[in-house]
Amino acid sequence: MIDSLEKFPVKIFNTPKDGSQYVAKIIADLITKKNSEGKKAVIGLATGSTPKSLYAELVRMHREEGLSFKNVITFNLDQYYPMEADALNSYHYFMRKYLFEQTDIDPKNYFLPNGIIPKEKIKEHCAAYEKQIEDAGGIDLQILGIGNNGHIGFNEPGSPVYSKTRLITLDNSTRIANSHEFANISEVPRMAITMGISTIMKSNRIILMAWGKTKAPVIKKAVEGKPTEEIPASLLQNHDHCTFVLDEFAASELTRFKSPWLTGECEWTPQIIKSAVIDMALQLNKPVLSLTNHDYNESGLSDLLVEKGDSYEINLEVYYMLRDGITGWPGGKPNTQIPNHPERSTPFPKRVLIFSPHPDDDIISMGGTFMRLHDQGHDVNVAYQTSGNIAVTDEFVTRNLDFAVGFEKIFHIDNTVTQNIFDTATSFLKQKKSTETDSPEIREIKGLIRRCEAKATCKYVGLKDEQIHFMNLPFYETGTIEKKPMGPEDVSLTVKLMREIKPHQVFCAGDLADPHGTHKVCLDIILAALEVIKLEPGGEWLKDCRVWLYKGAWEEWDINEIEMAVPMSPDQVRKKRYGIFIHQSQKDSVPFQGSDEREFWQRAEERNANTAELYAKLGLTKYAAMEAFVRLDI
Ligand code: F6R
């Protein structure tokens, strides 16, 4: 019953690592079985961020458990076109880096489409690729990722069921989604050679993997919707042996999690009641207090009605939950006891610590609350976790250096040192290739630019120097998009700062959808630091500390998850906008912006207005905008 809407077997794991271990074991078993039959295992492989953890596990199994790839043949799904095999963004390079060069696979046994084949020879090359697969005995197991638009391989929406390996034009949404791997969107190739849908469907077995919340909407469509060429992954429903392996976030939109009351019996916890009623109210476009018994029955909530008795009682329960979460006093209202207020009124003033993964997440994601906390007399500290240096354009560096040289000239300061730095930097930037990493000096300058902007925002809010902390966490400092995993130094720097401040309130980015995973690592570091403090002597202060999560620039909490909503007046909205404007290096053409082309202030405003609109639709007071938080149980 529970799986009734799902058209595939779906395996859900806590983390991508767990899911990858599961898939790696299937691959290892396949290799062993095939080899025991004296045959080679033929495996279809994908690239992109999803299979990285799978390849890491296979490499571990090779090193620690002797899993051999000597008798394995692999075929990759796709390759950008045109693309040199050795280019940093080529899938040859990717595969060699993450799997091939770290195992004993014979280079003669791995195949990828050729990204530099002359155009007139592509058809021939694609037919030969199909033939090679056939000659190898066909693919035993095909590993897939999924694009946000539902593509598999590079079979974009509209790809025919009978398509074979071919040259295709990439969807603009794919180019935008993949632009974070390149310096900017114009560098992303417009074409690719990809196995076709029918090539993929011919595999004996298929496993599609997906991690993270951004994949959740398309996973729901592929798993629960009708098979359609518009969502190529949904066509896999016609395959006899296809499994989806997901982490909890990618699975989160499936009906059994999102609306469990629709897939069978469910336990009516207050949170589920809240979700069900809010969903119903929004779908029927009715305020919560206007929902009737009839609405409950019509919306599949008759069980809830039977359990609770009457719609009015349930409506009130949900209405109060929503109402009690709204507060203009995010640090608690002093000298008053408000029942069910999201924050306690004492101590007052509170020591507040806002963790901002990048130097602008504080103002973008919780600028209104940040200003309120300060204006209401709390001791607000901001900790910028990373330097954010990769998101500054080279043009911005030269402009700032030019200013530095000019400044020294005006005031007759000996400017030979600055002039030298300027000359070295400009000549470096002039010859810099698009795939090249910045020199340490340029990275320093980029970091400085972002620090100055963050500082200016803090001054604008009213903070003093000693309330501003730049952590420069080492995990981020690779100079490339790909960051190191969190390390002990990241945690100890965070522990040190928390010990110094001993905050009563901590705010941190709880969004797991930023395109490069930086927010997730930043949150993991804070969680690890909290664990350390919890266990240490003198860590008792943590008992009196509440941790609130905000979402980063990329998305907002679901309305039913929100536990504290802080309203903003039109003036406050404007004030926040100016605070975001201070981050000039992040305006207009930011590198690595992800798939959303709106500027950060626009995203923030639209999302805050949208939250306010949703509350109004549900029958609560209509504000101009609202920022939203979820409390983390520590
Ligand atoms: C990669 C491929 C693509 C990706 C998909 C998801 O070889 O064919 O279909 O699997 O774009 O990419 P990530 O894993 O980066 O989200």
Coordinates of all heavy atoms in Angstrom, one line a residue, residues 480-552:
T480 N 39.6 26.0 -6.1 CA 38.7 25.4 -7.2 C 37.3 25.2 -6.6 O 37.1 25.4 -5.4 CB 39.2 24.0 -7.6 OG1 39.1 23.1 -6.5 CG2 40.6 24.1 -8.1
I481 N 36.4 24.8 -7.5 CA 35.0 24.7 -7.1 C 34.9 23.5 -6.1 O 34.1 23.5 -5.1 CB 34.1 24.4 -8.3 CG1 34.2 25.5 -9.3 CG2 32.7 24.2 -7.9 CD1 33.8 25.1 -10.7
E482 N 35.7 22.5 -6.4 CA 35.7 21.3 -5.5 C 36.4 21.6 -4.2 O 37.6 22.0 -4.2 CB 36.3 20.2 -6.2 CG 36.0 18.9 -5.5 CD 36.2 17.7 -6.4 OE1 36.4 17.9 -7.6 OE2 36.0 16.6 -5.9
K483 N 35.7 21.4 -3.1 CA 36.3 21.7 -1.8 C 36.8 20.4 -1.1 O 36.4 19.3 -1.5 CB 35.3 22.4 -0.9 CG 34.6 23.6 -1.5 CD 35.6 24.7 -1.8 CE 35.0 25.9 -2.4 NZ 34.3 25.8 -3.6
K484 N 37.6 20.6 -0.1 CA 38.1 19.5 0.7 C 36.9 19.1 1.6 O 36.1 19.9 1.9 CB 39.3 19.8 1.5 CG 40.6 20.0 0.7 CD 41.7 20.3 1.6 CE 41.9 21.8 1.9 NZ 43.0 22.3 2.6
P485 N 36.9 17.8 2.1 CA 35.9 17.5 3.1 C 36.3 18.2 4.4 O 37.4 18.7 4.5 CB 36.1 16.0 3.3 CG 37.2 15.5 2.5 CD 37.8 16.7 1.7
M486 N 35.3 18.3 5.3 CA 35.6 19.1 6.5 C 36.8 18.4 7.3 O 36.9 17.1 7.3 CB 34.4 19.2 7.4 CG 34.0 18.0 8.2 SD 32.7 18.5 9.3 CE 32.6 17.0 10.3
G487 N 37.6 19.1 8.0 CA 38.7 18.5 8.7 C 38.7 19.0 10.1 O 37.9 19.9 10.5
P488 N 39.6 18.4 10.9 CA 39.7 18.8 12.4 C 39.9 20.3 12.6 O 39.4 20.8 13.6 CB 40.8 17.9 12.9 CG 41.4 17.1 11.8 CD 40.6 17.4 10.6
E489 N 40.7 20.9 11.7 CA 40.9 22.3 12.0 C 39.7 23.2 11.8 O 39.5 24.1 12.5 CB 42.0 22.8 11.0 CG 42.8 23.9 11.6 CD 43.8 24.5 10.6 OE1 44.2 23.8 9.7 OE2 44.0 25.7 10.7
D490 N 38.8 22.8 10.8 CA 37.6 23.5 10.6 C 36.7 23.4 11.9 O 36.1 24.4 12.4 CB 36.8 22.9 9.5 CG 37.5 22.9 8.2 OD1 37.9 24.0 7.8 OD2 37.7 21.8 7.5
V491 N 36.7 22.2 12.5 CA 35.9 22.0 13.7 C 36.5 22.8 14.9 O 35.8 23.5 15.6 CB 35.8 20.5 14.0 CG1 34.9 20.3 15.3 CG2 35.1 19.8 12.8
S492 N 37.9 22.7 15.0 CA 38.4 23.3 16.2 C 38.3 24.9 16.1 O 38.1 25.5 17.1 CB 39.9 22.9 16.4 OG 40.7 23.3 15.4
L493 N 38.4 25.4 14.9 CA 38.2 26.9 14.8 C 36.8 27.3 15.2 O 36.6 28.3 15.9 CB 38.5 27.3 13.4 CG 39.9 27.4 12.9 CD1 40.0 27.6 11.4 CD2 40.6 28.6 13.6
T494 N 35.9 26.4 14.9 CA 34.5 26.7 15.2 C 34.2 26.5 16.7 O 33.5 27.4 17.3 CB 33.5 25.8 14.4 OG1 33.9 25.8 13.0 CG2 32.1 26.1 14.5
V495 N 34.8 25.5 17.3 CA 34.7 25.3 18.7 C 35.2 26.5 19.5 O 34.6 27.0 20.4 CB 35.4 24.0 19.1 CG1 35.5 23.9 20.7 CG2 34.7 22.7 18.6
K496 N 36.4 26.9 19.0 CA 37.1 28.0 19.7 C 36.2 29.3 19.7 O 36.0 29.9 20.7 CB 38.4 28.3 18.9 CG 39.3 29.3 19.6 CD 40.7 29.3 18.9 CE 41.5 30.4 19.4 NZ 41.3 31.7 18.6
L497 N 35.6 29.6 18.6 CA 34.8 30.8 18.5 C 33.5 30.6 19.4 O 33.1 31.6 20.1 CB 34.4 31.0 17.0 CG 33.6 32.3 16.8 CD1 34.4 33.5 17.0 CD2 33.0 32.3 15.4
M498 N 32.9 29.5 19.3 CA 31.7 29.3 20.2 C 32.1 29.4 21.7 O 31.3 29.9 22.4 CB 31.1 27.9 19.8 CG 30.4 28.0 18.5 SD 28.9 27.0 18.5 CE 29.3 25.8 17.4
R499 N 33.2 28.8 22.0 CA 33.6 28.9 23.4 C 33.8 30.4 23.8 O 33.5 30.8 24.9 CB 35.0 28.2 23.6 CG 34.9 26.7 23.9 CD 36.3 26.3 24.3 NE 36.4 24.9 24.0 CZ 37.5 24.3 23.5 NH1 38.5 25.0 23.1 NH2 37.5 23.0 23.3
E500 N 34.4 31.2 22.9 CA 34.6 32.6 23.3 C 33.3 33.3 23.4 O 33.1 34.1 24.4 CB 35.4 33.2 22.1 CG 36.9 33.2 22.2 CD 37.5 33.6 20.8 OE1 36.9 34.5 20.1 OE2 38.5 33.0 20.5
I501 N 32.4 33.1 22.6 CA 31.1 33.9 22.6 C 30.1 33.3 23.5 O 29.3 34.0 24.1 CB 30.6 34.0 21.1 CG1 31.6 34.8 20.3 CG2 29.2 34.7 21.1 CD1 31.2 34.9 18.8
K502 N 30.1 32.0 23.6 CA 29.0 31.3 24.4 C 27.6 31.8 24.1 O 27.0 32.4 25.0 CB 29.3 31.4 25.9 CG 30.6 30.7 26.4 CD 30.6 30.5 27.9 CE 31.8 29.7 28.4 NZ 33.1 30.3 27.9
P503 N 27.2 31.6 22.9 CA 26.0 32.3 22.5 C 24.7 31.7 23.1 O 24.7 30.5 23.5 CB 25.9 32.0 21.0 CG 26.8 30.8 20.7 CD 27.8 30.8 21.8
H504 N 23.7 32.5 23.3 CA 22.4 32.0 23.7 C 21.6 31.5 22.5 O 20.6 30.8 22.6 CB 21.6 33.0 24.5 CG 22.3 33.6 25.7 ND1 22.9 34.8 25.7 CD2 22.6 33.0 26.8 CE1 23.4 35.0 26.9 NE2 23.3 33.9 27.6
Q505 N 22.0 32.1 21.4 CA 21.2 31.8 20.1 C 22.3 31.7 19.0 O 23.2 32.5 18.9 CB 20.4 33.0 19.8 CG 18.9 32.8 19.8 CD 18.1 33.9 19.2 OE1 18.6 35.1 19.1 NE2 16.9 33.7 18.9
V506 N 22.1 30.6 18.2 CA 23.0 30.4 17.1 C 22.1 30.3 15.8 O 21.0 29.7 15.9 CB 23.8 29.1 17.2 CG1 24.5 28.8 15.9 CG2 24.8 29.2 18.3
F507 N 22.5 31.1 14.8 CA 21.7 30.9 13.5 C 22.7 30.3 12.5 O 23.9 30.8 12.4 CB 21.3 32.3 13.0 CG 20.1 32.9 13.8 CD1 20.4 33.6 15.0 CD2 18.8 32.6 13.4 CE1 19.3 34.1 15.7 CE2 17.8 33.2 14.1 CZ 18.0 33.9 15.3
C508 N 22.3 29.3 11.8 CA 23.2 28.8 10.7 C 22.4 28.4 9.5 O 21.2 28.1 9.6 CB 24.1 27.8 11.2 SG 23.4 26.5 12.2
A509 N 23.1 28.3 8.4 CA 22.5 27.9 7.1 C 22.2 26.4 7.2 O 23.1 25.6 7.3 CB 23.4 28.2 6.0
G510 N 20.9 26.1 7.1 CA 20.5 24.7 7.1 C 20.1 24.2 5.8 O 19.4 23.2 5.6
D511 N 20.5 24.9 4.7 CA 20.0 24.5 3.4 C 21.1 23.6 2.8 O 22.2 23.8 2.9 CB 19.7 25.7 2.5 CG 20.9 26.2 1.8 OD1 21.8 26.7 2.5 OD2 21.0 26.0 0.6
L512 N 20.6 22.6 2.2 CA 21.5 21.6 1.6 C 21.5 21.6 0.1 O 21.9 20.7 -0.5 CB 21.1 20.2 2.2 CG 20.9 20.2 3.7 CD1 20.2 19.0 4.2 CD2 22.2 20.4 4.4
A513 N 21.0 22.7 -0.4 CA 20.8 22.7 -1.9 C 21.8 23.7 -2.6 O 21.6 23.8 -3.8 CB 19.4 23.1 -2.2
D514 N 22.7 24.3 -1.9 CA 23.6 25.2 -2.7 C 24.4 24.3 -3.6 O 24.8 23.2 -3.3 CB 24.4 26.1 -1.8 CG 25.7 25.4 -1.3 OD1 25.6 24.3 -0.8 OD2 26.8 26.0 -1.5
P515 N 24.7 24.9 -4.8 CA 25.2 24.0 -5.9 C 26.5 23.4 -5.6 O 26.8 22.3 -6.2 CB 25.3 24.9 -7.1 CG 24.8 26.2 -6.7 CD 24.4 26.2 -5.3
H516 N 27.3 23.9 -4.7 CA 28.7 23.4 -4.6 C 28.8 22.7 -3.2 O 29.9 22.3 -2.9 CB 29.7 24.4 -4.7 CG 29.5 25.3 -5.9 ND1 29.5 26.7 -5.8 CD2 29.3 25.0 -7.1 CE1 29.3 27.1 -7.0 NE2 29.1 26.1 -7.8
G517 N 27.7 22.5 -2.5 CA 27.8 21.8 -1.2 C 28.5 22.5 -0.1 O 28.7 21.9 1.0
T518 N 28.9 23.8 -0.3 CA 29.6 24.5 0.8 C 28.7 24.7 2.0 O 29.2 24.5 3.2 CB 30.1 25.9 0.3 OG1 30.9 25.6 -0.8 CG2 30.8 26.7 1.3
H519 N 27.4 25.0 1.8 CA 26.6 25.2 3.0 C 26.4 23.9 3.8 O 26.4 23.9 5.0 CB 25.2 25.6 2.5 CG 25.1 27.0 2.1 ND1 24.0 27.8 2.2 CD2 26.1 27.8 1.6 CE1 24.3 29.0 1.7 NE2 25.5 29.0 1.4
K520 N 26.4 22.8 3.1 CA 26.3 21.5 3.8 C 27.5 21.2 4.7 O 27.4 20.9 5.8 CB 26.1 20.4 2.8 CG 26.3 19.0 3.2 CD 24.9 18.2 3.4 CE 25.1 16.8 3.8 NZ 25.6 16.6 5.2
V521 N 28.7 21.5 4.1 CA 29.9 21.2 4.9 C 29.9 22.2 6.1 O 30.3 21.8 7.2 CB 31.2 21.4 4.0 CG1 32.4 21.1 4.8 CG2 31.1 20.5 2.8
C522 N 29.5 23.5 5.8 CA 29.6 24.5 6.9 C 28.6 24.0 8.0 O 28.9 24.2 9.2 CB 29.1 25.8 6.4 SG 30.4 26.6 5.5
L523 N 27.5 23.4 7.7 CA 26.6 23.0 8.7 C 27.2 21.8 9.5 O 27.1 21.7 10.7 CB 25.2 22.6 8.1 CG 24.2 22.1 9.1 CD1 23.8 23.1 10.1 CD2 22.9 21.6 8.3
D524 N 27.7 20.9 8.7 CA 28.3 19.7 9.3 C 29.4 20.1 10.3 O 29.6 19.5 11.4 CB 28.9 18.7 8.3 CG 27.9 18.0 7.5 OD1 26.7 18.0 7.9 OD2 28.2 17.5 6.4
I525 N 30.2 21.1 10.0 CA 31.3 21.6 10.9 C 30.6 22.1 12.2 O 31.1 21.8 13.3 CB 32.1 22.7 10.2 CG1 32.9 22.0 9.0 CG2 33.0 23.4 11.2 CD1 33.6 23.0 8.1
I526 N 29.6 22.9 12.1 CA 28.9 23.4 13.3 C 28.4 22.3 14.1 O 28.5 22.2 15.3 CB 27.8 24.4 12.9 CG1 28.4 25.6 12.2 CG2 27.0 24.9 14.1 CD1 27.3 26.5 11.5
L527 N 27.8 21.3 13.5 CA 27.2 20.1 14.2 C 28.3 19.4 14.9 O 28.2 19.0 16.1 CB 26.4 19.2 13.3 CG 25.2 19.8 12.6 CD1 24.5 18.8 11.7 CD2 24.2 20.3 13.6
A528 N 29.5 19.2 14.2 CA 30.6 18.5 14.9 C 31.1 19.3 16.0 O 31.4 18.8 17.1 CB 31.7 18.3 13.8
A529 N 31.2 20.6 15.9 CA 31.6 21.5 17.0 C 30.7 21.4 18.2 O 31.2 21.4 19.3 CB 31.8 22.9 16.5
L530 N 29.4 21.4 17.9 CA 28.4 21.3 19.0 C 28.6 20.0 19.8 O 28.6 20.0 21.0 CB 27.0 21.4 18.5 CG 26.6 22.7 17.9 CD1 25.2 22.6 17.2 CD2 26.5 23.8 19.1
E531 N 28.9 18.9 19.0 CA 29.2 17.6 19.7 C 30.4 17.7 20.6 O 30.4 17.2 21.8 CB 29.4 16.5 18.7 CG 28.2 16.0 18.0 CD 27.1 15.6 18.9 OE1 27.4 14.8 19.9 OE2 25.9 16.0 18.8
V532 N 31.4 18.4 20.2 CA 32.6 18.5 21.0 C 32.3 19.3 22.2 O 32.6 18.9 23.4 CB 33.8 19.3 20.2 CG1 35.0 19.6 21.1 CG2 34.2 18.5 19.0
I533 N 31.6 20.4 22.1 CA 31.3 21.3 23.2 C 30.4 20.6 24.2 O 30.6 20.7 25.5 CB 30.7 22.6 22.8 CG1 31.7 23.4 21.9 CG2 30.3 23.5 23.9 CD1 31.1 24.6 21.2
K534 N 29.5 19.9 23.7 CA 28.5 19.2 24.6 C 29.2 18.3 25.6 O 28.8 18.1 26.7 CB 27.6 18.3 23.6 CG 26.2 18.2 24.1 CD 25.5 17.2 23.2 CE 24.8 17.8 22.0 NZ 24.2 16.8 21.2
L535 N 30.3 17.6 25.1 CA 31.0 16.6 26.0 C 32.1 17.2 26.8 O 32.6 16.6 27.7 CB 31.6 15.5 25.1 CG 30.6 14.8 24.2 CD1 31.3 13.8 23.3 CD2 29.6 14.0 25.1
E536 N 32.4 18.5 26.6 CA 33.6 19.0 27.3 C 33.2 19.6 28.7 O 32.1 20.2 28.8 CB 34.4 20.0 26.5 CG 33.7 21.3 26.2 CD 34.5 22.2 25.2 OE1 35.5 21.7 24.7 OE2 34.1 23.3 25.1
P537 N 34.1 19.6 29.7 CA 33.8 20.2 30.9 C 33.7 21.7 30.6 O 34.4 22.3 29.8 CB 35.0 20.0 31.8 CG 36.0 19.2 31.0 CD 35.4 19.0 29.6
G538 N 32.7 22.4 31.2 CA 32.5 23.8 30.9 C 31.6 24.0 29.7 O 31.3 25.1 29.4
G539 N 31.1 22.9 29.1 CA 30.2 23.1 28.0 C 28.8 23.2 28.3 O 27.9 23.2 27.5
E540 N 28.5 23.4 29.7 CA 27.1 23.4 30.1 C 26.3 24.6 29.5 O 25.1 24.5 29.4 CB 27.0 23.5 31.7 CG 27.5 22.3 32.4 CD 29.0 22.3 32.5 OE1 29.6 23.4 32.4 OE2 29.6 21.2 32.6
W541 N 27.0 25.6 29.1 CA 26.3 26.8 28.6 C 25.4 26.4 27.4 O 24.5 27.1 27.1 CB 27.3 27.9 28.2 CG 28.3 27.5 27.2 CD1 29.5 27.0 27.4 CD2 28.1 27.6 25.7 NE1 30.2 26.8 26.2 CE2 29.3 27.1 25.2 CE3 27.1 28.0 24.9 CZ2 29.5 27.0 23.8 CZ3 27.3 27.9 23.5 CH2 28.5 27.4 23.0
L542 N 25.8 25.3 26.7 CA 25.1 24.9 25.5 C 23.7 24.6 25.8 O 22.8 24.7 25.0 CB 25.9 23.7 24.9 CG 25.6 23.4 23.5 CD1 26.0 24.6 22.6 CD2 26.4 22.2 23.0
K543 N 23.4 24.1 27.1 CA 22.0 23.8 27.5 C 21.1 25.0 27.3 O 19.9 24.9 27.1 CB 22.0 23.3 28.9 CG 22.7 22.0 29.1 CD 22.3 21.3 30.4 CE 23.1 20.1 30.6 NZ 24.0 20.2 31.7
D544 N 21.7 26.2 27.4 CA 20.9 27.4 27.4 C 21.1 28.1 26.0 O 21.0 29.3 25.8 CB 21.3 28.4 28.5 CG 20.4 29.5 28.6 OD1 19.2 29.3 28.3 OD2 20.8 30.6 29.0
C545 N 21.3 27.2 25.0 CA 21.5 27.8 23.6 C 20.6 27.2 22.7 O 20.4 26.0 22.7 CB 23.0 27.5 23.2 SG 23.4 28.0 21.5
R546 N 19.9 28.0 21.9 CA 19.0 27.5 20.8 C 19.6 27.7 19.5 O 20.2 28.7 19.2 CB 17.7 28.2 20.9 CG 16.8 27.7 22.0 CD 15.4 28.1 21.9 NE 14.7 27.7 23.1 CZ 13.5 28.0 23.4 NH1 12.7 28.7 22.5 NH2 12.9 27.6 24.5
V547 N 19.5 26.7 18.6 CA 20.1 26.8 17.3 C 18.9 26.9 16.3 O 18.0 26.0 16.3 CB 21.0 25.5 17.0 CG1 21.5 25.6 15.5 CG2 22.1 25.4 18.0
W548 N 19.0 27.9 15.4 CA 18.0 28.1 14.4 C 18.6 28.0 13.0 O 19.7 28.5 12.8 CB 17.4 29.5 14.6 CG 16.6 29.7 15.8 CD1 17.0 30.2 17.0 CD2 15.2 29.3 16.0 NE1 15.9 30.2 17.9 CE2 14.8 29.6 17.3 CE3 14.3 28.7 15.1 CZ2 13.6 29.3 17.8 CZ3 13.0 28.4 15.6 CH2 12.6 28.7 16.9
L549 N 17.9 27.3 12.2 CA 18.4 27.1 10.8 C 17.7 28.0 9.8 O 16.5 28.1 9.9 CB 18.2 25.7 10.3 CG 18.9 24.6 11.2 CD1 18.5 23.2 10.6 CD2 20.4 24.8 11.2
Y550 N 18.4 28.7 9.0 CA 17.8 29.5 7.9 C 18.2 28.8 6.6 O 19.2 28.0 6.6 CB 18.2 30.9 7.9 CG 19.7 31.2 7.7 CD1 20.3 31.3 6.5 CD2 20.5 31.4 8.8 CE1 21.7 31.5 6.3 CE2 21.9 31.6 8.7 CZ 22.5 31.6 7.5 OH 23.8 31.9 7.3
K551 N 17.5 29.1 5.5 CA 17.9 28.5 4.2 C 18.8 29.5 3.5 O 18.6 30.7 3.6 CB 16.7 28.2 3.4 CG 16.0 27.0 3.9 CD 16.2 25.7 3.1 CE 15.5 24.5 3.8 NZ 15.6 23.3 3.0
G552 N 19.8 29.0 2.8 CA 20.6 29.9 2.0 C 19.9 30.5 0.8 O 18.7 30.5 0.7

